[in-house]
Amino acid sequence: MEIYNAGRNSPSSQKLQDMLKERPASFVFVKADSVSFTGHDILKFDDVRTNIGNHYNASTGYFTAPKPGLYEISCLLFGFGTSAVTFQIHKNSQIFGYGYTPGREWNSNTVSLLMELKKGDNVYVKHRHPNKKETVQGNQHSYFSGRFLQ
């Protein structure tokens, strides 16, 4: 990717958009103050702040790889009050990594992963315990991100 200064060699808006499409990235938060997380729910991050290429779908909670390569996936979940939060990050229907926020006063857990994805692979955050109801703190405290590295 070329580097431009804001002066005479700045890219046109269209050229900048074309460059960004080569580097898809999403950064999304949980919007509500809190969200109940039960069964095998997929957590839907509905406060979309960055979605270069539109590869995150807030209605499904899926980040879909637009092309093969190495991606960085990160998730921070903040337990609401004293709620523990047990979660897993999936690549398609397979568990790729686990996360756990202990049930103490306002704790969080961050999981950062490097994933080799093929075009069309889906990555999402899923609740881990079928018989527990846990509460995730929203309001810009819990987030999910995915970005293409190479």
Side-chain angles (χ1 to χ4, degrees), residues 26-30 37 42-45 56 61 63 72-78 85-90 97-101 108-115 123-127 136-137 141-147:
S26 297
F27 193 92
V28 295
F29 289 98
V30 173
F37 206 29
I42 294 172
L43 187 56
K44 293 165 184 82
F45 297 82
Y56 177 77
F63 174 80
E72 178 182 48
I73 303 295
S74 294
C75 178
L76 179 142
L77 292 187
F78 204 100
V85 181
T86 52
F87 62 99
Q88 52 204 30
I89 297 178
H90 279 245
Y98 292 101
Y100 173 71
T101 299
S108 65
N109 179 245
T110 303
V111 176
S112 294
L113 304 166
L114 293 177
M115 301 174 93
V123 180
Y124 53 93
V125 179
K126 192 171 184 179
H127 191 250
V136 174
Q137 172 72 38
H141 286 84
S142 297
Y143 68 80
F144 175 74
S145 68
R147 68 184 183 116

Side-chain angles (χ1 to χ4, degrees), residues 12-56:
S12 69
S13 177
Q14 183 58 48
K15 187 171 183 177
L16 181 60
Q17 290 301 318
D18 291 343
M19 287 188 312
L20 288 174
K21 285 180 187 174
E22 295 298 314
R23 311 289 293 182
S26 297
F27 193 92
V28 295
F29 289 98
V30 173
K31 185 182 269 184
D33 286 336
S34 64
V35 174
S36 292
F37 206 29
T38 61
H40 290 293
D41 287 346
I42 294 172
L43 187 56
K44 293 165 184 82
F45 297 82
D46 54 351
D47 186 1
V48 179
R49 296 298 179 95
T50 301
N51 200 8
I52 298 168
N54 293 315
H55 301 291
Y56 177 77

Side-chain angles (χ1 to χ4, degrees), residues 42 62 88-96 120-124 126:
I42 294 172
Y62 286 14
Q88 52 204 30
I89 297 178
H90 279 245
K91 174 182 170 183
N92 299 317
S93 61
Q94 301 298 310
I95 298 168
F96 194 89
D121 281 346
N122 292 310
V123 180
Y124 53 93
K126 192 171 184 179

